[in-house]
Amino acid sequence: MSLKQTLDIGHQPIGTYHHRSHAAHWDGKNAQGEFVASGVYFYTLTAGEFSATRRMLILK
């Protein structure tokens, strides 16, 4: 099964962000608004020409 959730935060200048409104923040819910199950998930960060895919472990 493949689920996709997109976070578009627009252009952000270089720096450290401590508030959700200025950072990439995922609430742990899928596209239907349901909390995802425990497991290994893959996410991709894309910024201009840069793209990196990493693993994320969700434990409940």
Side-chain angles (χ1 to χ4, degrees), residues 9-58:
I9 59 171
H11 175 78
Q12 296 290 323
I14 295 172
T16 302
Y17 297 93
H18 299 283
H19 194 270
R20 292 179 184 176
S21 64
H22 296 295
H25 171 78
W26 176 52
D27 61 3
K29 296 179 182 179
N30 63 20
Q32 290 74 38
E34 306 164 325
F35 285 103
V36 299
S38 295
V40 177
Y41 292 84
F42 292 89
Y43 64 94
T44 302
L45 296 175
T46 304
E49 296 293 318
F50 174 81
S51 182
T53 300
R54 301 287 188 263
R55 290 180 305 209
M56 170 176 41
L57 178 62
I58 303 288

mmCIF file of all heavy atoms in Angstrom, residues 9-58:
data_model
loop_
_atom_site.group_PDB
_atom_site.id
_atom_site.type_symbol
_atom_site.label_atom_id
_atom_site.label_comp_id
_atom_site.label_asym_id
_atom_site.label_seq_id
_atom_site.Cartn_x
_atom_site.Cartn_y
_atom_site.Cartn_z
ATOM 1 N N ILE A 9 5.568 24.013 2.568
ATOM 2 C CA ILE A 9 5.768 25.170 3.453
ATOM 3 C C ILE A 9 6.349 26.358 2.700
ATOM 4 O O ILE A 9 6.682 27.372 3.307
ATOM 5 C CB ILE A 9 6.653 24.811 4.662
ATOM 6 C CG1 ILE A 9 8.023 24.314 4.219
ATOM 7 C CG2 ILE A 9 5.959 23.797 5.541
ATOM 8 C CD1 ILE A 9 9.005 24.154 5.356
ATOM 9 N N GLY A 10 6.481 26.222 1.374
ATOM 10 C CA GLY A 10 6.974 27.339 0.575
ATOM 11 C C GLY A 10 8.447 27.613 0.824
ATOM 12 O O GLY A 10 9.161 26.806 1.391
ATOM 13 N N HIS A 11 8.885 28.780 0.432
ATOM 14 C CA HIS A 11 10.285 29.174 0.593
ATOM 15 C C HIS A 11 10.540 29.572 2.041
ATOM 16 O O HIS A 11 9.797 30.366 2.617
ATOM 17 C CB HIS A 11 10.623 30.340 -0.333
ATOM 18 C CG HIS A 11 12.012 30.855 -0.126
ATOM 19 N ND1 HIS A 11 13.109 30.207 -0.634
ATOM 20 C CD2 HIS A 11 12.465 31.922 0.563
ATOM 21 C CE1 HIS A 11 14.197 30.881 -0.271
ATOM 22 N NE2 HIS A 11 13.834 31.923 0.448
ATOM 23 N N GLN A 12 11.589 29.031 2.626
ATOM 24 C CA GLN A 12 12.005 29.393 3.978
ATOM 25 C C GLN A 12 13.489 29.743 3.940
ATOM 26 O O GLN A 12 14.282 28.992 3.378
ATOM 27 C CB GLN A 12 11.798 28.228 4.949
ATOM 28 C CG GLN A 12 10.354 27.814 5.137
ATOM 29 C CD GLN A 12 9.577 28.866 5.906
ATOM 30 O OE1 GLN A 12 10.086 29.489 6.823
ATOM 31 N NE2 GLN A 12 8.336 29.064 5.517
ATOM 32 N N PRO A 13 13.892 30.877 4.504
ATOM 33 C CA PRO A 13 15.317 31.198 4.545
ATOM 34 C C PRO A 13 16.061 30.215 5.456
ATOM 35 O O PRO A 13 15.460 29.557 6.298
ATOM 36 C CB PRO A 13 15.349 32.620 5.115
ATOM 37 C CG PRO A 13 14.050 32.810 5.794
ATOM 38 C CD PRO A 13 13.063 31.903 5.116
ATOM 39 N N ILE A 14 17.360 30.132 5.275
ATOM 40 C CA ILE A 14 18.191 29.247 6.097
ATOM 41 C C ILE A 14 18.073 29.659 7.553
ATOM 42 O O ILE A 14 18.056 30.835 7.888
ATOM 43 C CB ILE A 14 19.661 29.338 5.642
ATOM 44 C CG1 ILE A 14 19.793 28.804 4.224
ATOM 45 C CG2 ILE A 14 20.576 28.590 6.590
ATOM 46 C CD1 ILE A 14 21.164 29.022 3.626
ATOM 47 N N GLY A 15 17.973 28.668 8.443
ATOM 48 C CA GLY A 15 17.906 28.962 9.867
ATOM 49 C C GLY A 15 17.320 27.809 10.643
ATOM 50 O O GLY A 15 17.060 26.738 10.101
ATOM 51 N N THR A 16 17.100 28.022 11.909
ATOM 52 C CA THR A 16 16.500 27.028 12.789
ATOM 53 C C THR A 16 15.096 27.487 13.128
ATOM 54 O O THR A 16 14.895 28.645 13.504
ATOM 55 C CB THR A 16 17.325 26.892 14.088
ATOM 56 O OG1 THR A 16 18.662 26.531 13.723
ATOM 57 C CG2 THR A 16 16.748 25.837 14.994
ATOM 58 N N TYR A 17 14.145 26.580 13.003
ATOM 59 C CA TYR A 17 12.741 26.925 13.237
ATOM 60 C C TYR A 17 12.208 26.129 14.417
ATOM 61 O O TYR A 17 12.333 24.914 14.451
ATOM 62 C CB TYR A 17 11.911 26.662 11.980
ATOM 63 C CG TYR A 17 12.368 27.530 10.833
ATOM 64 C CD1 TYR A 17 13.304 27.079 9.923
ATOM 65 C CD2 TYR A 17 11.895 28.818 10.711
ATOM 66 C CE1 TYR A 17 13.748 27.892 8.897
ATOM 67 C CE2 TYR A 17 12.329 29.645 9.682
ATOM 68 C CZ TYR A 17 13.251 29.174 8.788
ATOM 69 O OH TYR A 17 13.688 29.984 7.779
ATOM 70 N N HIS A 18 11.625 26.831 15.371
ATOM 71 C CA HIS A 18 11.121 26.196 16.584
ATOM 72 C C HIS A 18 9.602 26.208 16.661
ATOM 73 O O HIS A 18 9.036 25.702 17.624
ATOM 74 C CB HIS A 18 11.695 26.890 17.821
ATOM 75 C CG HIS A 18 13.196 26.813 17.880
ATOM 76 N ND1 HIS A 18 13.867 25.690 18.261
ATOM 77 C CD2 HIS A 18 14.146 27.726 17.562
ATOM 78 C CE1 HIS A 18 15.169 25.903 18.202
ATOM 79 N NE2 HIS A 18 15.358 27.139 17.773
ATOM 80 N N HIS A 19 8.941 26.783 15.692
ATOM 81 C CA HIS A 19 7.487 26.851 15.720
ATOM 82 C C HIS A 19 6.930 26.147 14.494
ATOM 83 O O HIS A 19 7.467 26.259 13.399
ATOM 84 C CB HIS A 19 7.015 28.319 15.733
ATOM 85 C CG HIS A 19 5.580 28.456 16.103
ATOM 86 N ND1 HIS A 19 4.574 28.431 15.174
ATOM 87 C CD2 HIS A 19 4.983 28.593 17.308
ATOM 88 C CE1 HIS A 19 3.417 28.550 15.780
ATOM 89 N NE2 HIS A 19 3.640 28.651 17.077
ATOM 90 N N ARG A 20 5.856 25.397 14.670
ATOM 91 C CA ARG A 20 5.283 24.585 13.599
ATOM 92 C C ARG A 20 4.883 25.371 12.366
ATOM 93 O O ARG A 20 4.911 24.854 11.258
ATOM 94 C CB ARG A 20 4.050 23.843 14.119
ATOM 95 C CG ARG A 20 4.378 22.804 15.136
ATOM 96 C CD ARG A 20 3.122 22.151 15.619
ATOM 97 N NE ARG A 20 3.431 21.202 16.682
ATOM 98 C CZ ARG A 20 2.543 20.542 17.352
ATOM 99 N NH1 ARG A 20 1.269 20.704 17.101
ATOM 100 N NH2 ARG A 20 2.909 19.692 18.293
ATOM 101 N N SER A 21 4.507 26.622 12.529
ATOM 102 C CA SER A 21 4.040 27.400 11.381
ATOM 103 C C SER A 21 5.164 27.719 10.395
ATOM 104 O O SER A 21 4.900 28.078 9.259
ATOM 105 C CB SER A 21 3.375 28.690 11.851
ATOM 106 O OG SER A 21 4.321 29.521 12.498
ATOM 107 N N HIS A 22 6.425 27.590 10.818
ATOM 108 C CA HIS A 22 7.556 27.907 9.951
ATOM 109 C C HIS A 22 8.438 26.698 9.662
ATOM 110 O O HIS A 22 9.509 26.848 9.097
ATOM 111 C CB HIS A 22 8.411 29.005 10.572
ATOM 112 C CG HIS A 22 7.690 30.302 10.714
ATOM 113 N ND1 HIS A 22 7.254 31.027 9.642
ATOM 114 C CD2 HIS A 22 7.306 30.990 11.807
ATOM 115 C CE1 HIS A 22 6.639 32.111 10.066
ATOM 116 N NE2 HIS A 22 6.653 32.109 11.382
ATOM 117 N N ALA A 23 8.019 25.508 10.057
ATOM 118 C CA ALA A 23 8.839 24.313 9.876
ATOM 119 C C ALA A 23 8.029 23.210 9.216
ATOM 120 O O ALA A 23 6.801 23.271 9.161
ATOM 121 C CB ALA A 23 9.359 23.838 11.237
ATOM 122 N N ALA A 24 8.716 22.205 8.713
ATOM 123 C CA ALA A 24 8.039 21.023 8.178
ATOM 124 C C ALA A 24 7.557 20.204 9.371
ATOM 125 O O ALA A 24 8.355 19.672 10.137
ATOM 126 C CB ALA A 24 8.994 20.210 7.317
ATOM 127 N N HIS A 25 6.262 20.161 9.565
ATOM 128 C CA HIS A 25 5.670 19.463 10.709
ATOM 129 C C HIS A 25 4.569 18.544 10.203
ATOM 130 O O HIS A 25 3.683 18.966 9.464
ATOM 131 C CB HIS A 25 5.073 20.470 11.692
ATOM 132 C CG HIS A 25 4.258 19.828 12.768
ATOM 133 N ND1 HIS A 25 4.841 19.212 13.849
ATOM 134 C CD2 HIS A 25 2.931 19.666 12.914
ATOM 135 C CE1 HIS A 25 3.880 18.717 14.617
ATOM 136 N NE2 HIS A 25 2.728 18.982 14.058
ATOM 137 N N TRP A 26 4.642 17.277 10.594
ATOM 138 C CA TRP A 26 3.623 16.293 10.218
ATOM 139 C C TRP A 26 2.914 15.864 11.482
ATOM 140 O O TRP A 26 3.547 15.534 12.484
ATOM 141 C CB TRP A 26 4.270 15.100 9.521
ATOM 142 C CG TRP A 26 3.337 14.004 9.175
ATOM 143 C CD1 TRP A 26 2.172 14.098 8.492
ATOM 144 C CD2 TRP A 26 3.495 12.626 9.500
ATOM 145 N NE1 TRP A 26 1.593 12.865 8.350
ATOM 146 C CE2 TRP A 26 2.387 11.943 8.972
ATOM 147 C CE3 TRP A 26 4.467 11.903 10.184
ATOM 148 C CZ2 TRP A 26 2.219 10.572 9.092
ATOM 149 C CZ3 TRP A 26 4.308 10.541 10.299
ATOM 150 C CH2 TRP A 26 3.201 9.893 9.762
ATOM 151 N N ASP A 27 1.589 15.849 11.461
ATOM 152 C CA ASP A 27 0.800 15.528 12.648
ATOM 153 C C ASP A 27 0.583 14.038 12.860
ATOM 154 O O ASP A 27 -0.132 13.636 13.772
ATOM 155 C CB ASP A 27 -0.548 16.254 12.609
ATOM 156 C CG ASP A 27 -1.396 15.853 11.417
ATOM 157 O OD1 ASP A 27 -0.986 14.969 10.645
ATOM 158 O OD2 ASP A 27 -2.475 16.452 11.244
ATOM 159 N N GLY A 28 1.180 13.179 12.038
ATOM 160 C CA GLY A 28 1.046 11.731 12.209
ATOM 161 C C GLY A 28 -0.224 11.162 11.606
ATOM 162 O O GLY A 28 -0.588 10.027 11.911
ATOM 163 N N LYS A 29 -0.901 11.932 10.777
ATOM 164 C CA LYS A 29 -2.154 11.477 10.172
ATOM 165 C C LYS A 29 -1.973 11.268 8.676
ATOM 166 O O LYS A 29 -1.170 11.928 8.034
ATOM 167 C CB LYS A 29 -3.268 12.495 10.413
ATOM 168 C CG LYS A 29 -3.615 12.661 11.869
ATOM 169 C CD LYS A 29 -4.709 13.690 12.048
ATOM 170 C CE LYS A 29 -5.015 13.899 13.528
ATOM 171 N NZ LYS A 29 -6.059 14.930 13.711
ATOM 172 N N ASN A 30 -2.766 10.361 8.123
ATOM 173 C CA ASN A 30 -2.725 10.124 6.683
ATOM 174 C C ASN A 30 -3.635 11.123 5.971
ATOM 175 O O ASN A 30 -4.195 12.020 6.592
ATOM 176 C CB ASN A 30 -3.108 8.672 6.351
ATOM 177 C CG ASN A 30 -4.525 8.327 6.757
ATOM 178 O OD1 ASN A 30 -5.383 9.180 6.958
ATOM 179 N ND2 ASN A 30 -4.789 7.035 6.873
ATOM 180 N N ALA A 31 -3.789 10.965 4.668
ATOM 181 C CA ALA A 31 -4.574 11.911 3.870
ATOM 182 C C ALA A 31 -6.051 11.907 4.249
ATOM 183 O O ALA A 31 -6.765 12.870 3.994
ATOM 184 C CB ALA A 31 -4.412 11.600 2.382
ATOM 185 N N GLN A 32 -6.529 10.828 4.884
ATOM 186 C CA GLN A 32 -7.921 10.748 5.312
ATOM 187 C C GLN A 32 -8.126 11.272 6.735
ATOM 188 O O GLN A 32 -9.232 11.225 7.276
ATOM 189 C CB GLN A 32 -8.427 9.290 5.254
ATOM 190 C CG GLN A 32 -8.603 8.755 3.845
ATOM 191 C CD GLN A 32 -7.273 8.452 3.171
ATOM 192 O OE1 GLN A 32 -6.343 7.980 3.800
ATOM 193 N NE2 GLN A 32 -7.184 8.764 1.893
ATOM 194 N N GLY A 33 -7.059 11.751 7.375
ATOM 195 C CA GLY A 33 -7.160 12.313 8.717
ATOM 196 C C GLY A 33 -7.062 11.289 9.826
ATOM 197 O O GLY A 33 -7.280 11.609 10.990
ATOM 198 N N GLU A 34 -6.682 10.058 9.502
ATOM 199 C CA GLU A 34 -6.546 8.992 10.502
ATOM 200 C C GLU A 34 -5.083 8.895 10.929
ATOM 201 O O GLU A 34 -4.186 9.072 10.119
ATOM 202 C CB GLU A 34 -6.984 7.652 9.902
ATOM 203 C CG GLU A 34 -8.373 7.674 9.312
ATOM 204 C CD GLU A 34 -8.622 6.491 8.396
ATOM 205 O OE1 GLU A 34 -7.687 6.049 7.700
ATOM 206 O OE2 GLU A 34 -9.761 6.028 8.378
ATOM 207 N N PHE A 35 -4.855 8.598 12.212
ATOM 208 C CA PHE A 35 -3.487 8.402 12.675
ATOM 209 C C PHE A 35 -2.905 7.155 12.036
ATOM 210 O O PHE A 35 -3.589 6.150 11.885
ATOM 211 C CB PHE A 35 -3.438 8.284 14.202
ATOM 212 C CG PHE A 35 -3.617 9.593 14.899
ATOM 213 C CD1 PHE A 35 -4.817 9.922 15.495
ATOM 214 C CD2 PHE A 35 -2.587 10.519 14.944
ATOM 215 C CE1 PHE A 35 -4.995 11.135 16.125
ATOM 216 C CE2 PHE A 35 -2.749 11.736 15.572
ATOM 217 C CZ PHE A 35 -3.965 12.048 16.170
ATOM 218 N N VAL A 36 -1.638 7.221 11.631
ATOM 219 C CA VAL A 36 -0.995 6.083 10.992
ATOM 220 C C VAL A 36 -0.611 5.043 12.043
ATOM 221 O O VAL A 36 -0.460 5.352 13.222
ATOM 222 C CB VAL A 36 0.247 6.505 10.179
ATOM 223 C CG1 VAL A 36 -0.135 7.470 9.067
ATOM 224 C CG2 VAL A 36 1.304 7.112 11.067
ATOM 225 N N ALA A 37 -0.456 3.812 11.603
ATOM 226 C CA ALA A 37 -0.078 2.706 12.491
ATOM 227 C C ALA A 37 1.422 2.740 12.764
ATOM 228 O O ALA A 37 2.196 3.395 12.054
ATOM 229 C CB ALA A 37 -0.453 1.382 11.835
ATOM 230 N N SER A 38 1.833 2.016 13.802
ATOM 231 C CA SER A 38 3.256 1.855 14.078
ATOM 232 C C SER A 38 3.917 1.164 12.896
ATOM 233 O O SER A 38 3.318 0.315 12.241
ATOM 234 C CB SER A 38 3.464 0.995 15.328
ATOM 235 O OG SER A 38 2.970 1.641 16.467
ATOM 236 N N GLY A 39 5.158 1.519 12.626
ATOM 237 C CA GLY A 39 5.886 0.882 11.537
ATOM 238 C C GLY A 39 6.980 1.764 11.003
ATOM 239 O O GLY A 39 7.246 2.847 11.525
ATOM 240 N N VAL A 40 7.603 1.295 9.946
ATOM 241 C CA VAL A 40 8.663 2.041 9.281
ATOM 242 C C VAL A 40 8.052 2.767 8.095
ATOM 243 O O VAL A 40 7.351 2.175 7.277
ATOM 244 C CB VAL A 40 9.790 1.105 8.806
ATOM 245 C CG1 VAL A 40 10.855 1.883 8.040
ATOM 246 C CG2 VAL A 40 10.417 0.382 9.991
ATOM 247 N N TYR A 41 8.317 4.058 8.007
ATOM 248 C CA TYR A 41 7.815 4.890 6.923
ATOM 249 C C TYR A 41 8.997 5.553 6.241
ATOM 250 O O TYR A 41 10.032 5.787 6.857
ATOM 251 C CB TYR A 41 6.863 5.967 7.462
ATOM 252 C CG TYR A 41 5.577 5.396 7.983
ATOM 253 C CD1 TYR A 41 5.489 4.895 9.273
ATOM 254 C CD2 TYR A 41 4.455 5.345 7.186
ATOM 255 C CE1 TYR A 41 4.303 4.354 9.746
ATOM 256 C CE2 TYR A 41 3.263 4.805 7.646
ATOM 257 C CZ TYR A 41 3.205 4.315 8.928
ATOM 258 O OH TYR A 41 2.033 3.776 9.392
ATOM 259 N N PHE A 42 8.846 5.845 4.976
ATOM 260 C CA PHE A 42 9.859 6.553 4.209
ATOM 261 C C PHE A 42 9.336 7.941 3.883
ATOM 262 O O PHE A 42 8.170 8.106 3.558
ATOM 263 C CB PHE A 42 10.192 5.797 2.919
ATOM 264 C CG PHE A 42 10.882 4.497 3.171
ATOM 265 C CD1 PHE A 42 10.160 3.339 3.357
ATOM 266 C CD2 PHE A 42 12.261 4.442 3.240
ATOM 267 C CE1 PHE A 42 10.789 2.136 3.605
ATOM 268 C CE2 PHE A 42 12.913 3.235 3.483
ATOM 269 C CZ PHE A 42 12.166 2.082 3.664
ATOM 270 N N TYR A 43 10.208 8.931 3.981
ATOM 271 C CA TYR A 43 9.823 10.294 3.619
ATOM 272 C C TYR A 43 10.894 10.876 2.706
ATOM 273 O O TYR A 43 12.055 10.476 2.748
ATOM 274 C CB TYR A 43 9.620 11.171 4.851
ATOM 275 C CG TYR A 43 10.861 11.398 5.685
ATOM 276 C CD1 TYR A 43 11.651 12.517 5.481
ATOM 277 C CD2 TYR A 43 11.224 10.499 6.691
ATOM 278 C CE1 TYR A 43 12.786 12.741 6.246
ATOM 279 C CE2 TYR A 43 12.354 10.710 7.455
ATOM 280 C CZ TYR A 43 13.131 11.825 7.232
ATOM 281 O OH TYR A 43 14.253 12.041 7.975
ATOM 282 N N THR A 44 10.479 11.796 1.868
ATOM 283 C CA THR A 44 11.402 12.454 0.950
ATOM 284 C C THR A 44 11.323 13.957 1.161
ATOM 285 O O THR A 44 10.236 14.527 1.171
ATOM 286 C CB THR A 44 11.051 12.119 -0.517
ATOM 287 O OG1 THR A 44 11.090 10.706 -0.694
ATOM 288 C CG2 THR A 44 12.025 12.789 -1.474
ATOM 289 N N LEU A 45 12.474 14.575 1.360
ATOM 290 C CA LEU A 45 12.577 16.027 1.450
ATOM 291 C C LEU A 45 13.108 16.537 0.126
ATOM 292 O O LEU A 45 14.117 16.039 -0.381
ATOM 293 C CB LEU A 45 13.539 16.445 2.564
ATOM 294 C CG LEU A 45 13.135 16.066 3.980
ATOM 295 C CD1 LEU A 45 14.246 16.433 4.953
ATOM 296 C CD2 LEU A 45 11.850 16.760 4.363
ATOM 297 N N THR A 46 12.421 17.514 -0.445
ATOM 298 C CA THR A 46 12.826 18.090 -1.720
ATOM 299 C C THR A 46 12.907 19.600 -1.589
ATOM 300 O O THR A 46 11.979 20.229 -1.083
ATOM 301 C CB THR A 46 11.812 17.727 -2.823
ATOM 302 O OG1 THR A 46 11.683 16.303 -2.879
ATOM 303 C CG2 THR A 46 12.256 18.247 -4.171
ATOM 304 N N ALA A 47 14.030 20.158 -2.017
ATOM 305 C CA ALA A 47 14.227 21.610 -1.995
ATOM 306 C C ALA A 47 15.037 21.971 -3.224
ATOM 307 O O ALA A 47 16.234 21.683 -3.291
ATOM 308 C CB ALA A 47 14.942 22.044 -0.726
ATOM 309 N N GLY A 48 14.376 22.548 -4.205
ATOM 310 C CA GLY A 48 15.063 22.886 -5.453
ATOM 311 C C GLY A 48 15.570 21.627 -6.125
ATOM 312 O O GLY A 48 14.827 20.691 -6.365
ATOM 313 N N GLU A 49 16.873 21.575 -6.374
ATOM 314 C CA GLU A 49 17.494 20.408 -7.017
ATOM 315 C C GLU A 49 17.813 19.306 -6.009
ATOM 316 O O GLU A 49 18.143 18.188 -6.399
ATOM 317 C CB GLU A 49 18.770 20.830 -7.737
ATOM 318 C CG GLU A 49 18.532 21.800 -8.878
ATOM 319 C CD GLU A 49 17.782 21.159 -10.025
ATOM 320 O OE1 GLU A 49 18.097 20.008 -10.368
ATOM 321 O OE2 GLU A 49 16.862 21.812 -10.551
ATOM 322 N N PHE A 50 17.750 19.599 -4.716
ATOM 323 C CA PHE A 50 18.085 18.629 -3.672
ATOM 324 C C PHE A 50 16.895 17.738 -3.364
ATOM 325 O O PHE A 50 15.767 18.194 -3.258
ATOM 326 C CB PHE A 50 18.503 19.360 -2.391
ATOM 327 C CG PHE A 50 18.722 18.438 -1.234
ATOM 328 C CD1 PHE A 50 19.900 17.740 -1.101
ATOM 329 C CD2 PHE A 50 17.731 18.255 -0.282
ATOM 330 C CE1 PHE A 50 20.109 16.880 -0.037
ATOM 331 C CE2 PHE A 50 17.919 17.396 0.790
ATOM 332 C CZ PHE A 50 19.116 16.707 0.910
ATOM 333 N N SER A 51 17.164 16.450 -3.201
ATOM 334 C CA SER A 51 16.131 15.503 -2.791
ATOM 335 C C SER A 51 16.793 14.395 -1.981
ATOM 336 O O SER A 51 17.837 13.870 -2.386
ATOM 337 C CB SER A 51 15.438 14.915 -4.019
ATOM 338 O OG SER A 51 14.409 14.048 -3.626
ATOM 339 N N ALA A 52 16.224 14.056 -0.819
ATOM 340 C CA ALA A 52 16.769 12.996 0.031
ATOM 341 C C ALA A 52 15.620 12.183 0.613
ATOM 342 O O ALA A 52 14.632 12.747 1.086
ATOM 343 C CB ALA A 52 17.615 13.591 1.147
ATOM 344 N N THR A 53 15.748 10.876 0.574
ATOM 345 C CA THR A 53 14.748 9.972 1.152
ATOM 346 C C THR A 53 15.358 9.301 2.374
ATOM 347 O O THR A 53 16.492 8.817 2.327
ATOM 348 C CB THR A 53 14.313 8.913 0.122
ATOM 349 O OG1 THR A 53 13.752 9.579 -1.006
ATOM 350 C CG2 THR A 53 13.286 7.970 0.712
ATOM 351 N N ARG A 54 14.599 9.270 3.463
ATOM 352 C CA ARG A 54 15.058 8.688 4.726
ATOM 353 C C ARG A 54 13.953 7.825 5.321
ATOM 354 O O ARG A 54 12.810 7.893 4.924
ATOM 355 C CB ARG A 54 15.426 9.789 5.736
ATOM 356 C CG ARG A 54 16.512 10.726 5.281
ATOM 357 C CD ARG A 54 17.859 10.025 5.300
ATOM 358 N NE ARG A 54 18.940 10.950 5.047
ATOM 359 C CZ ARG A 54 19.506 11.130 3.873
ATOM 360 N NH1 ARG A 54 19.069 10.468 2.833
ATOM 361 N NH2 ARG A 54 20.503 11.962 3.724
ATOM 362 N N ARG A 55 14.326 7.043 6.342
ATOM 363 C CA ARG A 55 13.359 6.209 7.056
ATOM 364 C C ARG A 55 12.942 6.889 8.348
ATOM 365 O O ARG A 55 13.716 7.630 8.959
ATOM 366 C CB ARG A 55 13.974 4.860 7.431
ATOM 367 C CG ARG A 55 14.232 3.951 6.277
ATOM 368 C CD ARG A 55 14.818 2.667 6.750
ATOM 369 N NE ARG A 55 16.024 2.973 7.541
ATOM 370 C CZ ARG A 55 17.060 2.178 7.648
ATOM 371 N NH1 ARG A 55 17.069 1.038 7.037
ATOM 372 N NH2 ARG A 55 18.096 2.527 8.369
ATOM 373 N N MET A 56 11.706 6.616 8.768
ATOM 374 C CA MET A 56 11.196 7.136 10.024
ATOM 375 C C MET A 56 10.464 5.986 10.715
ATOM 376 O O MET A 56 9.703 5.267 10.091
ATOM 377 C CB MET A 56 10.230 8.287 9.749
ATOM 378 C CG MET A 56 9.465 8.756 10.953
ATOM 379 S SD MET A 56 8.414 10.206 10.639
ATOM 380 C CE MET A 56 7.710 9.884 9.050
ATOM 381 N N LEU A 57 10.716 5.796 11.995
ATOM 382 C CA LEU A 57 10.069 4.739 12.773
ATOM 383 C C LEU A 57 9.003 5.361 13.667
ATOM 384 O O LEU A 57 9.300 6.259 14.462
ATOM 385 C CB LEU A 57 11.087 3.991 13.620
ATOM 386 C CG LEU A 57 10.562 2.892 14.519
ATOM 387 C CD1 LEU A 57 9.920 1.776 13.688
ATOM 388 C CD2 LEU A 57 11.678 2.339 15.380
ATOM 389 N N ILE A 58 7.765 4.897 13.526
ATOM 390 C CA ILE A 58 6.654 5.357 14.374
ATOM 391 C C ILE A 58 6.343 4.246 15.362
ATOM 392 O O ILE A 58 6.072 3.113 14.968
ATOM 393 C CB ILE A 58 5.386 5.667 13.532
ATOM 394 C CG1 ILE A 58 5.664 6.700 12.462
ATOM 395 C CG2 ILE A 58 4.230 6.061 14.433
ATOM 396 C CD1 ILE A 58 5.862 8.101 12.981
#
